[in-house]
Amino acid sequence: MHAADEMTGEPAAQVAERRPRRWRWRSIDTVVLLGFLGLAVLVLGRLWADPNGRVLDGNDDDHGIFLFMLAHAERVVFDGAAPFVTDRFNVPVGVNMMANTSILALALPLAPLTHFLGGGVTVALLITGGLAGTAFAWYWVLSRHLLESRLAAWIGGLWCGFAPAMISHAAGHVNFVNNYVLPFIVWQVLRLAEPGRVRRGGIVLGLLIVLQIFINEEALLFTALTLGVFAVAWAAMARDEARRVWRHFTAGIGVAALTSGVLLAYPLWYQFFGPGNYHGQPFRPTDYVTDLASLGAFPRQSVAGSEAIAQRLSVSATEDNTFFGPAGLVMILVAAVVLWRSVALRATTIAGLVLLLMSFGPKLRVAGQDTGIPLPFGLISHVPVIDLVSVTRFAMVPATVAGVLLAFAADRIRRRRRLFWIGMVLALVPLAPKPLPVVQGIPMPEFLTAGTWRQYVPEGRTLVTVPLPDVTSGRTGQRWATLNNLDYPTPRGYFMGPARPPFDDTGSWSAPHTYTSRLLLNVQMYNRPPVAVDRAAVLADLAYWRAAVVVLVPGVRNGDLLRTVLVGALGEPQWVGGVEIWRVPPEE
């Protein structure tokens, strides 16, 4: 029996009879694709109004980090820069791009767009295309290989592409909305159970794995874990079938591992052992977990959502990874019950539940309160690779599994049960997404837009913006540098790297602090004027950063006090091109 037959539970002859009809109705596919694109544009409409001037409000920090990834890719294509490392950011140390979400498979092909129109346009395009593309990819796989009803496939695609988790991550996480490779990976793995697929299927799967690595490794890890749980559960419940297929299935996995391993050997070595590598995350596994009460709540970006409730049940606006709504949760459970007789779909449900349990973290949290009830994840929270994951994101798997189950249930029930379709409407309509909120970024001054900075920053020197480029506190400086495609190098920044090498290689969201960075951070964020400014220490840090000019970003928090500190350390500034600047003489 083929994988499709096992998934649908239908005789192979009936499946074969349907295939020619599927391929004939391509005009419907066009309508579906345009519908998904229209919905994605609606969600991103406010950003499209001014993509280089506006910033996604849900997570403006991560919006900035993906501008950095796009700027790096632009330099790879147009300046011949190395793809796995950059020396234009976090000067003089640089950044290990393989150890960050560098999305090279997306950023490199779109480098011309970034170069000519700006990284903000590319971000808007990638998030819009990611939502629509993920939805259509699931629709394609479901309608071509697994389901008879195109309506059911459309429901599955709609949910998988525009589920609350996807809309939430669209508020800043470019990598987590571009999931259109994953359904094809899943399908290729299922097809390895078919005779004669070992070599060809394994190679195709291996190439898809390579592609996904350069989009989002975390999503690939989730997919691998899910398929592993699925395979174990399915084999336990279908032992005779498992004994028949395990040899060519495992052989196909071996071919895929060999294919991807050869192509990824150096990039992965550089990621885990090259300069700038790190281990673990800058937070504990208990900090970012899924709240049990979030399963039946509405997400903040839905028409029925509540910002106040979502804030209590979610770690951030880009991590609403469940939030199925009351009717949605009921319909997911109904779908699981309807499909329970299918061994493959039962195994799919089990895989989703296991990953959901993992997303709860080491101890159960309910309605914002830690219950202290221990959970199995505590036993594996420190396992290498697992310790690099934000735990609540494991819930993205049950969110996708829910879409697959709803699609299969709709295909199975068809028009026979009106109550089911009423339930689907009640589940989907309240979850309809609203346009993502945006804020206006501080515009770039003429000093940058007119290229005046080139007169002040010779080759090998940096332009230092104050506040310093950093996570949260220095997002404007990072945004300016990346919208200029890193034409001028800059110190510090928001990226992932070791906290305090070589003494501490724990992952951190920024470079290790120096005297000057800590001084300016305390002034800006906490309004703490220094008793005295160590001018020699400031000049030493500027020399370390190879600074040629310091630029004060206008309109920032406690900007007047920042200016006072800079005047005390560097003297009176010049007013050039709409900003105040301080020239830094070269180190003798």
Side-chain angles (χ1 to χ4, degrees), residues 147-232:
L147 304 178
E148 181 175 359
S149 166
R150 286 186 183 276
L151 174 60
W154 175 80
I155 290 172
L158 180 69
W159 181 282
C160 292
F162 295 92
M166 291 290 287
I167 299 301
S168 171
H169 284 279
H173 294 159
V174 173
N175 55 337
F176 273 111
V177 297
N178 284 272
N179 288 336
Y180 31 76
V181 177
L182 298 180
F184 295 101
I185 289 177
V186 171
W187 177 239
Q188 287 300 323
V189 170
L190 293 177
R191 292 199 68 188
L192 291 178
E194 301 175 5
R197 293 286 304 175
V198 170
R199 184 179 302 175
R200 181 178 60 180
I203 291 174
V204 171
L205 176 59
L207 294 176
L208 289 173
I209 289 171
V210 172
L211 179 60
Q212 182 61 37
I213 281 284
F214 290 106
I215 297 177
N216 186 358
E217 294 181 32
E218 210 169 337
L220 180 62
L221 172 64
F222 298 159
T223 304
L225 289 172
T226 306
L227 288 170
V229 175
F230 169 86
V232 171

Side-chain angles (χ1 to χ4, degrees), residues 60-61 467-476 494 521 524-525:
D60 45 5
D61 291 326
L468 293 162
D470 216 326
V471 57
T472 304
S473 60
R475 57 176 66 102
T476 296
Y494 171 32
L521 179 67
Q524 179 202 2
M525 300 301 292

Side-chain angles (χ1 to χ4, degrees), residues 249-490:
F249 178 81
T250 53
I253 293 294
V255 172
L258 179 62
T259 302
S260 59
V262 169
L263 296 175
L264 293 171
Y266 178 71
L268 292 181
W269 175 88
Y270 200 94
Q271 173 179 346
F272 292 106
F273 302 102
N277 75 84
Y278 59 89
H279 298 87
Q281 293 277 20
F283 49 80
R284 299 170 301 172
T286 53
D287 290 344
Y288 302 112
V289 299
T290 297
D291 192 306
L292 179 64
S294 70
L295 296 180
F298 289 116
R300 72 192 76 201
Q301 275 307 119
S302 70
V303 295
S306 165
E307 181 76 23
I309 293 176
Q311 282 183 344
R312 184 182 179 188
L313 301 179
S314 176
V315 298
S316 78
T318 44
E319 299 291 350
D320 291 350
N321 293 309
T322 46
F323 290 88
F324 304 134
L329 181 59
V330 169
M331 290 307 299
I332 293 167
L333 295 174
V334 168
V337 171
V338 168
L339 302 168
W340 194 251
R341 293 183 62 185
S342 166
V343 173
L345 292 169
R346 196 186 316 156
T348 301
T349 303
I350 291 171
L353 289 173
V354 169
L355 271 291
L356 178 63
L357 182 62
M358 291 177 66
S359 79
F360 291 149
K363 295 183 180 180
L364 186 65
R365 181 176 298 172
V366 182
Q369 302 297 318
D370 291 325
T371 65
I373 299 174
L375 296 174
F377 185 78
L379 301 175
I380 61 171
S381 60
H382 299 293
V383 172
V385 181
I386 295 292
D387 67 352
L388 296 176
V389 175
S390 181
V391 176
T392 183
R393 292 178 184 170
F394 285 117
M396 294 188 73
V397 170
T400 300
V401 167
V404 173
L405 294 179
L406 290 172
F408 271 95
D411 190 62
R412 184 72 55 86
I413 288 179
R414 306 277 181 86
R415 302 175 182 176
R416 293 184 303 222
R417 297 183 185 177
R418 184 176 301 176
L419 187 60
F420 174 85
W421 291 104
I422 293 174
M424 289 293 289
V425 172
L426 294 176
L428 295 176
V429 171
L431 296 178
K434 299 183 294 187
L436 292 171
V438 299
V439 293
Q440 195 69 36
I442 296 176
M444 284 192 292
E446 184 184 352
F447 183 71
L448 297 179
T449 58
T452 308
W453 66 268
R454 298 180 188 276
Q455 303 171 26
Y456 297 83
V457 185
E459 188 67 28
R461 307 284 298 282
T462 67
L463 186 154
V464 179
T465 49
V466 175
L468 293 162
D470 216 326
V471 57
T472 304
S473 60
R475 57 176 66 102
T476 296
Q478 173 149 335
R479 178 171 156 268
W480 284 1
T482 54
L483 286 177
N484 279 279
N485 292 327
L486 301 178
D487 283 348
Y488 60 82
T490 188

